[in-house]
Amino acid sequence: MEDESTKWGSTAWTHLSSTRQQSPLIQCITNFVSMDLMANTLLSAGASPAMLHSLQEIPDFTPNIHALCINVGTLTSDWLPAMKMAADFAFKAGKPWVLDPVAAGASSFRLEACLELVKLKPCVIRGNGSEILALFMASVGSSKGVDSTHDSTDAIDAAKALAEANGCIVAVSGATDIVTDGKRVVGARNGVAMLQKITATGCSVTALIAAFVAVDPVHAFEATATALSVFGVAAEMAMDFAKGPASLRMHLIDSLHGLDQSTVLSRVNITSL
Amino acid sequence: MEDESTKWGSTAWTHLSSTRQQSPLIQCITNFVSMDLMANTLLSAGASPAMLHSLQEIPDFTPNIHALCINVGTLTSDWLPAMKMAADFAFKAGKPWVLDPVAAGASSFRLEACLELVKLKPCVIRGNGSEILALFMASVGSSKGVDSTHDSTDAIDAAKALAEANGCIVAVSGATDIVTDGKRVVGARNGVAMLQKITATGCSVTALIAAFVAVDPVHAFEATATALSVFGVAAEMAMDFAKGPASLRMHLIDSLHGLDQSTVLSRVNITSL
Amino acid sequence: MEDESTKWGSTAWTHLSSTRQQSPLIQCITNFVSMDLMANTLLSAGASPAMLHSLQEIPDFTPNIHALCINVGTLTSDWLPAMKMAADFAFKAGKPWVLDPVAAGASSFRLEACLELVKLKPCVIRGNGSEILALFMASVGSSKGVDSTHDSTDAIDAAKALAEANGCIVAVSGATDIVTDGKRVVGARNGVAMLQKITATGCSVTALIAAFVAVDPVHAFEATATALSVFGVAAEMAMDFAKGPASLRMHLIDSLHGLDQSTVLSRVNITSL
């Protein structure tokens, strides 16, 4: 019998190699800080990024994409209508879309915007523990039972509830990345701590999730977990050559571009929780 | 008799060394993704970039520049008036301006915007085959005779027609970069395939065209070809040290900064078609 | 008796190590070109960047930050209200804020905007000689006595007058960085010339000033000088490995992340003028 880890490695390789072969078109409506690294992450994985956010273009363009990534990092009120319109067009065209609720709890304006986006049926939501907890508290939970320490147990419960309530996959980034569809929960244990010292790595892994979901839309749970793990494996390989955050960033993109099957099979570390 | 290739190498070196000596001021109204790499490309070539796009500033600022680069990559309706105003000010002040019609065919809004910009007398238009064909079809050609395969012969004819109709230079990037003024056609055969895996390299070479045209405005045809070739030579030198797209990007900028006369003379590969 | 240079080295190390320990939250309202490098500069120094500029979020968010950095690099009229609101909230909450008046003299719109911001009580203003002279001429000085050559003596006098008139610290970047509170003047002599070939390094050192002022707000004069010097020391270390502007940029961030006490103590070069 094939063990769980071997199966995940094989699935991860299928997702990466499918992305390279199919070069899915991924529309990103994202923040100003991360556009460059997100586009280069998608290119290095074999996908085709399109940073296009004009209200006038979404009706023409969005129906032709393979997946959409929405990220609220530098949100202002004039960007929100395009995010909502694109999410709506993607959903109606049957294209998966992924939400990155950056700093969801930073203001009531941002939290409200994220909640409006969640109602537009994302296929996947990926955030850190605080972001997922903020969304959970505002949309699903009560103020009781989730204290301010935001430990991983809290995040798992919040993620499961959020996933179940919205019929989507929820991923929580951390030392162990958590992925759940509300019932199943897996932990992806790839990556290096120094990623947190590089801006936009979280945004970029969300874009990679969009690419993997684009090539395997009926297995969004698996595609989310493998994207987190493959990005983490690329970071692990890069760390061997890195002398600090900026060289890690460079080697990460190089590594994602060059990642081979045996490395993916041997390094991917995903297990049920 | 000096052969064609030697002549082009010498012209390319003149353009690069003039850019270093004169440090032309290049205003860029461009997309959010490419601003960083475009600015660093211009700086590494010796030019002085100014990313300035406010309607309130263009009347004061644009008359003092040496060339303008307009790129519609992340176009929205609120940016278009500044692009048109800047193009108009540049043209009236006798300063060359260069258009990068990114994804011209992605939407009717974008195509219409590009056509409006084309009417404002760009000195050079640089795009890939699909972009040049989209502009040609909408502004010059009919829907007959250009099929969806967009091969290079189609692009050459479209580029020539577009150049002739608008009295400008048209450049088509590809494995061989094509440059035409409507009558003459040259092919520049420098560069490496991996450039396509780095976002904003097309945008950046358009900015370099603006710099070279700024220092030799009466030879815009030649300056366009040499800019494409010099950028390609820098990429070739960089490829010797690159381990993937991100290190290629870094070495490309380093290489453009350090490019010496003998390398330019021996590597520039431009010939009549 | 401890000599002046030793004292400054020790102060610089205190500021850097405090930033690493306290990870101050630095809100940046800045230009599109520099967001990536500024965020990575702050992260590599141990601070926590937040690129957040929405009018709807400032009332919730800005009172909780530790310092604010405002940079007018790609200013448009729709961004100015958020800059002013954030400056006002920061000042009223007793949080220091730092102004980078990029290209202050490029247009009357921009100069007027900078003057409005100066009235909102920045703790520090950092610019190059031309920018500081433009602000001085428009806000303090007359058109006499400052000619167009903008040499360093002019900049020192302008900086002192500007600092005194506004009760703030003024820093002038150059081969020697000048810092003054209107009475005291020091020169920081770290850094390398090639920094000028990398976009956004000036913006990034201003962000580092915000971080150092955040951890030592009662010594803003000292924190400004040490931030300029520490950034310069990181560049000096990086220059040993750089082959051009792009690799210098990478090594600069790596070097800032890894900078140790003995390097800071031995390299920081700040003296009274």
Side-chain angles (χ1 to χ4, degrees), chain B residues 164-181:
Chain B
E164 190 139 34
N166 295 288
C168 67
I169 309 303
V170 174
V172 190
S173 292
T176 298
D177 298 324
I178 306 294
V179 181
T180 180
D181 60 1

PDB file of all heavy atoms in Angstrom, chain B residues 164-181:
ATOM      1  N   GLU B 164       3.808  52.534 -41.585  1.00  0.00           N
ATOM      2  CA  GLU B 164       3.561  53.442 -42.707  1.00  0.00           C
ATOM      3  C   GLU B 164       2.351  54.329 -42.435  1.00  0.00           C
ATOM      4  O   GLU B 164       2.392  55.542 -42.649  1.00  0.00           O
ATOM      5  CB  GLU B 164       3.351  52.633 -43.991  1.00  0.00           C
ATOM      6  CG  GLU B 164       3.323  53.499 -45.236  1.00  0.00           C
ATOM      7  CD  GLU B 164       4.093  52.861 -46.396  1.00  0.00           C
ATOM      8  OE1 GLU B 164       4.083  51.611 -46.496  1.00  0.00           O
ATOM      9  OE2 GLU B 164       4.719  53.603 -47.172  1.00  0.00           O
ATOM     10  N   ALA B 165       1.282  53.706 -41.914  1.00  0.00           N
ATOM     11  CA  ALA B 165       0.049  54.462 -41.680  1.00  0.00           C
ATOM     12  C   ALA B 165       0.237  55.552 -40.629  1.00  0.00           C
ATOM     13  O   ALA B 165      -0.428  56.587 -40.670  1.00  0.00           O
ATOM     14  CB  ALA B 165      -1.057  53.505 -41.248  1.00  0.00           C
ATOM     15  N   ASN B 166       1.144  55.304 -39.678  1.00  0.00           N
ATOM     16  CA  ASN B 166       1.286  56.240 -38.563  1.00  0.00           C
ATOM     17  C   ASN B 166       2.592  57.037 -38.582  1.00  0.00           C
ATOM     18  O   ASN B 166       2.849  57.817 -37.668  1.00  0.00           O
ATOM     19  CB  ASN B 166       1.145  55.485 -37.239  1.00  0.00           C
ATOM     20  CG  ASN B 166      -0.252  54.913 -37.062  1.00  0.00           C
ATOM     21  OD1 ASN B 166      -1.188  55.666 -36.818  1.00  0.00           O
ATOM     22  ND2 ASN B 166      -0.402  53.607 -37.247  1.00  0.00           N
ATOM     23  N   GLY B 167       3.402  56.812 -39.601  1.00  0.00           N
ATOM     24  CA  GLY B 167       4.660  57.553 -39.681  1.00  0.00           C
ATOM     25  C   GLY B 167       5.554  57.323 -38.490  1.00  0.00           C
ATOM     26  O   GLY B 167       6.183  58.261 -37.971  1.00  0.00           O
ATOM     27  N   CYS B 168       5.614  56.082 -38.045  1.00  0.00           N
ATOM     28  CA  CYS B 168       6.423  55.789 -36.860  1.00  0.00           C
ATOM     29  C   CYS B 168       7.228  54.515 -37.089  1.00  0.00           C
ATOM     30  O   CYS B 168       7.096  53.841 -38.111  1.00  0.00           O
ATOM     31  CB  CYS B 168       5.542  55.663 -35.622  1.00  0.00           C
ATOM     32  SG  CYS B 168       4.450  54.238 -35.626  1.00  0.00           S
ATOM     33  N   ILE B 169       8.072  54.197 -36.130  1.00  0.00           N
ATOM     34  CA  ILE B 169       8.797  52.938 -36.123  1.00  0.00           C
ATOM     35  C   ILE B 169       7.945  51.910 -35.388  1.00  0.00           C
ATOM     36  O   ILE B 169       7.326  52.236 -34.375  1.00  0.00           O
ATOM     37  CB  ILE B 169      10.138  53.099 -35.368  1.00  0.00           C
ATOM     38  CG1 ILE B 169      10.921  54.312 -35.888  1.00  0.00           C
ATOM     39  CG2 ILE B 169      10.960  51.818 -35.438  1.00  0.00           C
ATOM     40  CD1 ILE B 169      11.211  54.307 -37.351  1.00  0.00           C
ATOM     41  N   VAL B 170       7.932  50.695 -35.901  1.00  0.00           N
ATOM     42  CA  VAL B 170       7.241  49.618 -35.191  1.00  0.00           C
ATOM     43  C   VAL B 170       8.230  48.480 -34.949  1.00  0.00           C
ATOM     44  O   VAL B 170       8.949  48.066 -35.873  1.00  0.00           O
ATOM     45  CB  VAL B 170       6.014  49.107 -35.981  1.00  0.00           C
ATOM     46  CG1 VAL B 170       5.392  47.884 -35.292  1.00  0.00           C
ATOM     47  CG2 VAL B 170       4.965  50.215 -36.103  1.00  0.00           C
ATOM     48  N   ALA B 171       8.272  48.022 -33.708  1.00  0.00           N
ATOM     49  CA  ALA B 171       9.140  46.893 -33.346  1.00  0.00           C
ATOM     50  C   ALA B 171       8.281  45.742 -32.828  1.00  0.00           C
ATOM     51  O   ALA B 171       7.336  45.962 -32.069  1.00  0.00           O
ATOM     52  CB  ALA B 171      10.132  47.315 -32.266  1.00  0.00           C
ATOM     53  N   VAL B 172       8.614  44.541 -33.300  1.00  0.00           N
ATOM     54  CA  VAL B 172       7.905  43.327 -32.881  1.00  0.00           C
ATOM     55  C   VAL B 172       8.902  42.410 -32.188  1.00  0.00           C
ATOM     56  O   VAL B 172       9.837  41.912 -32.822  1.00  0.00           O
ATOM     57  CB  VAL B 172       7.302  42.580 -34.089  1.00  0.00           C
ATOM     58  CG1 VAL B 172       6.373  41.464 -33.605  1.00  0.00           C
ATOM     59  CG2 VAL B 172       6.562  43.521 -35.022  1.00  0.00           C
ATOM     60  N   SER B 173       8.704  42.202 -30.904  1.00  0.00           N
ATOM     61  CA  SER B 173       9.614  41.324 -30.160  1.00  0.00           C
ATOM     62  C   SER B 173       9.299  39.862 -30.440  1.00  0.00           C
ATOM     63  O   SER B 173       8.143  39.493 -30.633  1.00  0.00           O
ATOM     64  CB  SER B 173       9.476  41.568 -28.658  1.00  0.00           C
ATOM     65  OG  SER B 173       9.967  42.844 -28.345  1.00  0.00           O
ATOM     66  N   GLY B 174      10.328  39.058 -30.437  1.00  0.00           N
ATOM     67  CA  GLY B 174      10.164  37.629 -30.666  1.00  0.00           C
ATOM     68  C   GLY B 174      11.530  36.981 -30.666  1.00  0.00           C
ATOM     69  O   GLY B 174      12.513  37.587 -30.220  1.00  0.00           O
ATOM     70  N   ALA B 175      11.602  35.746 -31.121  1.00  0.00           N
ATOM     71  CA  ALA B 175      12.893  35.073 -31.206  1.00  0.00           C
ATOM     72  C   ALA B 175      13.847  35.953 -32.017  1.00  0.00           C
ATOM     73  O   ALA B 175      15.004  36.159 -31.649  1.00  0.00           O
ATOM     74  CB  ALA B 175      12.730  33.707 -31.851  1.00  0.00           C
ATOM     75  N   THR B 176      13.347  36.476 -33.133  1.00  0.00           N
ATOM     76  CA  THR B 176      14.015  37.583 -33.823  1.00  0.00           C
ATOM     77  C   THR B 176      13.162  38.828 -33.626  1.00  0.00           C
ATOM     78  O   THR B 176      11.971  38.810 -33.913  1.00  0.00           O
ATOM     79  CB  THR B 176      14.125  37.303 -35.334  1.00  0.00           C
ATOM     80  OG1 THR B 176      14.922  36.134 -35.532  1.00  0.00           O
ATOM     81  CG2 THR B 176      14.764  38.483 -36.061  1.00  0.00           C
ATOM     82  N   ASP B 177      13.774  39.878 -33.117  1.00  0.00           N
ATOM     83  CA  ASP B 177      13.044  41.135 -32.995  1.00  0.00           C
ATOM     84  C   ASP B 177      13.033  41.824 -34.355  1.00  0.00           C
ATOM     85  O   ASP B 177      14.081  41.947 -35.016  1.00  0.00           O
ATOM     86  CB  ASP B 177      13.722  42.061 -31.975  1.00  0.00           C
ATOM     87  CG  ASP B 177      13.748  41.458 -30.570  1.00  0.00           C
ATOM     88  OD1 ASP B 177      12.775  40.781 -30.184  1.00  0.00           O
ATOM     89  OD2 ASP B 177      14.751  41.693 -29.858  1.00  0.00           O
ATOM     90  N   ILE B 178      11.855  42.273 -34.772  1.00  0.00           N
ATOM     91  CA  ILE B 178      11.694  42.939 -36.063  1.00  0.00           C
ATOM     92  C   ILE B 178      11.562  44.439 -35.836  1.00  0.00           C
ATOM     93  O   ILE B 178      10.825  44.855 -34.943  1.00  0.00           O
ATOM     94  CB  ILE B 178      10.392  42.454 -36.748  1.00  0.00           C
ATOM     95  CG1 ILE B 178      10.350  40.926 -36.850  1.00  0.00           C
ATOM     96  CG2 ILE B 178      10.174  43.138 -38.082  1.00  0.00           C
ATOM     97  CD1 ILE B 178      11.392  40.354 -37.758  1.00  0.00           C
ATOM     98  N   VAL B 179      12.234  45.243 -36.628  1.00  0.00           N
ATOM     99  CA  VAL B 179      12.070  46.695 -36.561  1.00  0.00           C
ATOM    100  C   VAL B 179      11.843  47.217 -37.974  1.00  0.00           C
ATOM    101  O   VAL B 179      12.567  46.840 -38.908  1.00  0.00           O
ATOM    102  CB  VAL B 179      13.317  47.389 -35.958  1.00  0.00           C
ATOM    103  CG1 VAL B 179      13.106  48.906 -35.875  1.00  0.00           C
ATOM    104  CG2 VAL B 179      13.622  46.824 -34.570  1.00  0.00           C
ATOM    105  N   THR B 180      10.824  48.068 -38.113  1.00  0.00           N
ATOM    106  CA  THR B 180      10.536  48.618 -39.437  1.00  0.00           C
ATOM    107  C   THR B 180      10.058  50.064 -39.346  1.00  0.00           C
ATOM    108  O   THR B 180       9.452  50.454 -38.349  1.00  0.00           O
ATOM    109  CB  THR B 180       9.470  47.782 -40.178  1.00  0.00           C
ATOM    110  OG1 THR B 180       9.225  48.367 -41.465  1.00  0.00           O
ATOM    111  CG2 THR B 180       8.149  47.742 -39.410  1.00  0.00           C
ATOM    112  N   ASP B 181      10.360  50.807 -40.377  1.00  0.00           N
ATOM    113  CA  ASP B 181       9.807  52.159 -40.510  1.00  0.00           C
ATOM    114  C   ASP B 181       8.739  52.183 -41.619  1.00  0.00           C
ATOM    115  O   ASP B 181       8.321  53.242 -42.069  1.00  0.00           O
ATOM    116  CB  ASP B 181      10.905  53.182 -40.790  1.00  0.00           C
ATOM    117  CG  ASP B 181      11.650  52.884 -42.082  1.00  0.00           C
ATOM    118  OD1 ASP B 181      11.317  51.894 -42.784  1.00  0.00           O
ATOM    119  OD2 ASP B 181      12.589  53.638 -42.409  1.00  0.00           O
TER     120      ASP B 181
END
